Amino acid sequence: MRFSSLLGFVASATAASLQRVTDFGGNPTRINMFIYVPDKVAANPAIIVALHPCGGSGEQWFRGTRLPSYADQNGFILIFPGTPNQSNCWDVQSPASLTHGQGGDALGIVNMVKYTLDKYKGDKDKVYVMGSSSGGMMTNVLAGSYPDVFEAGAAYSGTAHACFAGSPTATPMGSNQTCAQGLQHTPEEWAKFVFNSYPGYTGRRPRMQIYHGLADFLVRPQCGYEALKQWSAVLGVPLARNVTGTPSAQYTQHIYGDGTKLQGFFGQGVGHTAPVQEVLMLRFFGLIQ
């Protein structure tokens, strides 16, 4: 064997890859856990939970963003949960997922985080969540039900926390599409859903980014505005200004307060789903410059 071929073999044999974990703890809805640990992990690494859209999987979403390459460069760990239930759509409607510590997909995902923090000595103050479509909906659910776990989140083409509450399912084929068509509440009403998900909690609340396409006819753009109303009330930050051209010419950025706690991005001509903006998101999380 040529020396150069041997080096290539060794490199491929040791390169980081997506791995399945089956023994991560309590898993009430029997969802799947996949993890990506880069070859060079930072000391006390940050952790990002990345949630796939309806019909997807953890393996698919691993290939669906550029997050693995950023993990390689910056040493953070990625968790890619996957649900085999509800046509591979997340459980964002059940009282279990919408209540701290009570079960559902949400608790299974939180147990994945706890497993990763323990096994890799992760930084519990640097745990983040992002997702697209159904994954964006679950991003808001996790931020509302488990504010003690997540420091920040980014929801792409999702809906507000508890928007689907009471529906039999939260799939595009479900009988109740009131939420996805732009269900509206006052900011105070939306905030109450969050507060009721963890009664008595007085700690920090996750910082949030909301991304949505203005040409989205599956999860209507109003859903993004409603999520911003919710987090504006929860975080106590009013809309301060709009900036056009960020991250590109077709987008308008909505900045709440000083922009460190809440931001929204709406894209003209952008459908379902809004593309993941890794650089903007990771800067907001504080993981890159």
Side-chain angles (χ1 to χ4, degrees):
M1 180 182 290
R2 293 175 57 187
F3 181 67
S4 59
S5 300
L6 178 60
L7 286 178
F9 173 79
V10 171
S12 64
T14 60
S17 63
L18 189 68
Q19 300 292 324
R20 184 171 183 180
V21 179
T22 58
D23 57 349
F24 56 84
N27 187 12
T29 52
R30 299 183 179 180
I31 58 177
N32 302 315
M33 176 182 179
F34 293 88
I35 192 168
Y36 182 74
V37 182
D39 290 327
K40 295 182 179 179
V41 182
N44 307 119
I47 297 167
I48 300 178
V49 175
L51 297 162
H52 66 73
C54 266
S57 66
E59 302 100 314
Q60 170 266 328
W61 198 228
F62 173 73
R63 301 186 298 271
T65 78
R66 294 179 293 160
L67 286 175
S69 66
Y70 283 98
D72 290 337
Q73 298 168 37
N74 297 279
F76 55 77
I77 293 174
L78 296 167
I79 299 173
F80 290 92
T83 175
N85 310 315
Q86 292 191 135
S87 302
N88 299 76
C89 299
W90 295 104
D91 157 32
V92 297
Q93 81 283 354
S94 77
S97 273
L98 292 170
T99 308
H100 183 88
Q102 293 304 301
D105 291 350
L107 183 58
I109 293 167
V110 166
N111 285 335
M112 296 178 192
V113 171
K114 292 179 178 177
Y115 165 90
T116 305
L117 286 170
D118 182 61
K119 183 175 177 64
Y120 297 98
K121 297 180 173 57
D123 187 339
K124 64 180 179 59
D125 293 323
K126 293 183 178 179
V127 178
Y128 309 93
V129 58
M130 63 80 66
S132 179
S133 190
S134 179
M137 299 172 191
M138 180 53 83
T139 294
N140 283 316
V141 166
L142 288 167
S145 294
Y146 293 92
D148 54 330
V149 174
F150 297 97
E151 199 279 325
Y156 295 81
S157 306
T159 58
H161 174 87
C163 182
F164 271 102
S167 296
T169 66
T171 74
M173 298 76 70
S175 58
N176 188 348
Q177 294 300 310
T178 304
C179 169
Q181 292 302 304
L183 176 66
Q184 297 186 43
H185 287 294
T186 67
E188 293 74 23
E189 289 169 339
W190 278 126
K192 188 176 292 185
F193 287 122
V194 172
F195 298 144
N196 288 344
S197 288
Y198 194 176
Y201 178 76
T202 59
R204 71 174 187 192
R205 296 283 175 176
R207 302 177 300 110
M208 297 298 295
Q209 281 187 329
I210 304 295
Y211 295 83
H212 221 100
L214 292 174
D216 190 334
F217 298 105
L218 183 63
V219 181
R220 298 282 181 170
Q222 189 62 39
C223 296
Y225 292 116
E226 295 300 307
L228 285 171
K229 284 163 59 176
Q230 182 173 62
W231 293 116
S232 174
V234 169
L235 295 168
V237 285
L239 178 63
R241 65 188 189 279
N242 295 337
V243 178
T244 58
T246 301
S248 63
Q250 64 195 133
Y251 279 87
T252 298
Q253 180 186 23
H254 299 243
I255 298 175
Y256 289 75
D258 63 5
T260 60
K261 291 185 176 182
L262 182 62
Q263 302 175 359
F265 300 85
F266 291 85
Q268 194 70 40
V270 177
H272 193 82
T273 59
V276 175
Q277 304 290 337
E278 289 91 347
V279 171
L280 270 180
M281 179 178 69
L282 292 174
R283 283 177 179 163
F284 183 74
F285 289 172
L287 298 181
I288 63 173
Q289 298 299 313

